[in-house]
Amino acid sequence: NAGVMQNPRHLVRRRGQEARLRCSPMKGHSHVYWYRQLPEEGLKFMVYLQKENIIDESGMPKERFSAEFPKEGPSILRIQQVVRGDSAAYFCASSRDRGNPDTQYFGPGTRLTVL
Amino acid sequence: AQSVTQLDSHVSVSEGTPVLLRCNYSSSYSPSLFWYVQHPNKGLQLLLKYTSAATLVKGINGFEAEFKKSETSFHLTKPSAHMSDAAEYFCVVSEEYGGATNKLIFGTGTLLAVQP
């Protein structure tokens, strides 16, 4: 039973480029969450999605960041025109759609470095 | 609004001695509380969770935590530290949202060092 998959594990971008981070939830999970971990800090919530719907994006920066979770395929976190301050580890988590929805299982993360 | 405070940013213990990582929470509701562990350059692994059942929660790798409402605490303990326990530990509370919990609120983390 594969866990939460994220790719790429490491991503290097130059300022102004776009970054696309992918997350495949655990089998049977239809809730996806994205968190950002800045250096020397804990994780901060960014966005919560169910299939084809954004439920809560209160933690997303107002500009340049977007997320989707299509009916088919992985969830995508997209950062346009990256800046150095976007350098961080981005973690995806998933949970089941019934029973005990508040247990989130985390992927290994994508470490984004902006040069 | 929910929040958690981890009282120690660094804890150092000797192998074979007890571990205590402290966490206090603030919540308007009956909270769901978790401890996650993060090894260097790895993802987060769930150690244990509290969801208003038994106040003493047993987790993986010999860890346990006790929910104390009167003290608003959820400290993580282990009787005997192992070298492989060296990692960063996060105390986490789940925020209620429309009856279905979703976002997790993380503490700032406690880095546990285990000396041989």
Side-chain angles (χ1 to χ4, degrees), chain B residues 23-83:
Chain B
C23 173
N24 286 101
Y25 70 90
S26 172
S27 177
S28 303
Y29 308 95
S30 180
S32 294
L33 291 159
F34 309 79
W35 277 97
Y36 281 86
V37 60
Q38 184 179 28
H39 290 275
N41 297 315
K42 297 284 179 63
L44 287 90
Q45 183 181 21
L46 179 67
L47 276 179
L48 50 82
K49 67 177 181 179
Y50 166 78
T51 54
S52 72
T55 56
L56 182 62
V57 182
K58 292 189 184 299
I60 61 171
N61 300 336
F63 285 94
E64 61 182 38
E66 186 172 6
F67 175 75
K68 291 187 177 180
K69 187 174 181 179
S70 60
E71 299 176 10
T72 62
S73 69
F74 190 58
H75 302 334
L76 181 71
T77 60
K78 182 173 180 177
S80 176
H82 191 272
M83 296 296 289

Side-chain angles (χ1 to χ4, degrees), chain A:
Chain A
N1 188 11
V4 178
M5 311 285 283
Q6 288 188 251
N7 67 81
R9 295 290 304 276
H10 300 274
L11 182 61
V12 179
R13 285 287 178 266
R14 297 190 180 281
R15 281 179 296 170
Q17 291 184 318
E18 178 179 286
R20 279 184 183 243
L21 288 63
R22 295 175 191 78
C23 168
S24 296
M26 286 179 69
K27 188 176 180 180
H29 288 195
S30 60
H31 299 238
V32 166
Y33 315 79
W34 285 93
Y35 295 83
R36 178 166 65 175
Q37 185 178 32
L38 293 169
E40 309 297 324
E41 294 187 15
L43 280 73
K44 295 286 196 297
F45 168 81
M46 298 182 75
V47 62
Y48 165 39
L49 309 103
Q50 295 180 23
K51 282 286 188 182
E52 300 184 275
N53 290 303
I54 296 174
I55 308 301
D56 180 356
E57 55 182 344
S58 59
M60 289 279 268
K62 293 287 186 280
E63 297 176 346
R64 302 186 297 108
F65 284 71
S66 62
E68 62 177 12
F69 188 18
K71 187 176 180 181
E72 301 291 337
S75 176
I76 306 286
L77 179 67
R78 183 183 178 204
I79 311 172
Q80 296 178 289
Q81 299 176 323
V82 296
V83 301
R84 288 219 174 108
D86 297 333
S87 295
Y90 293 82
F91 290 94
C92 168
S94 72
S95 67
R96 286 181 297 175
D97 58 354
R98 65 168 63 91
N100 201 9
D102 59 341
T103 300
Q104 296 179 24
Y105 297 89
F106 282 79
T110 294
R111 281 158 180 82
L112 172 65
T113 301
V114 179
L115 302 177

